[in-house]
Amino acid sequence: MRHADFRVRKDARDGTPLFDQDATFCAQPGRAGGGGVTLASYNIAGHHVRHFAEAVHIAVPGGSHAFDAAASYDQDVTWAVASPWAP
């Protein structure tokens, strides 16, 4: 998983430093609380993994793209972490 043109996608690793940076996301406490996690882009400061309009982007609140919309930003960048073996 890496970002390119602000879209998160699954690409085969190409061995470049840029790919490695694009594929690095730093876990932070969830912006919406509740025990979730927010994933911050390693190489684009202030951008977080966000689901928006049935796609996944790296976004910044209030930025210039539609997926940067401030409405529900904290909820959209907070991901629940659960064990795949949980009942």
Side-chain angles (χ1 to χ4, degrees):
M1 186 171 89
R2 60 109 36 120
H3 69 81
D5 296 322
F6 301 99
R7 182 82 184 257
V8 176
R9 57 195 213 186
K10 180 183 170 192
D11 286 345
R13 185 170 184 272
D14 65 12
T16 64
L18 178 60
F19 183 98
D20 292 343
Q21 293 171 8
D22 288 347
T24 302
F25 301 94
C26 304
Q28 302 173 337
R31 289 177 57 113
V37 63
T38 293
L39 301 172
S41 170
Y42 171 78
N43 61 340
I44 301 185
H47 285 67
H48 305 99
V49 175
R50 181 184 194 178
H51 67 86
F52 183 85
E54 300 180 22
V56 181
H57 302 272
I58 58 166
V60 62
S64 60
H65 302 99
F67 52 82
D68 292 326
S72 75
Y73 184 86
D74 288 348
Q75 293 79 12
D76 291 347
V77 300
T78 300
W79 300 83
V81 179
S83 167
W85 302 279

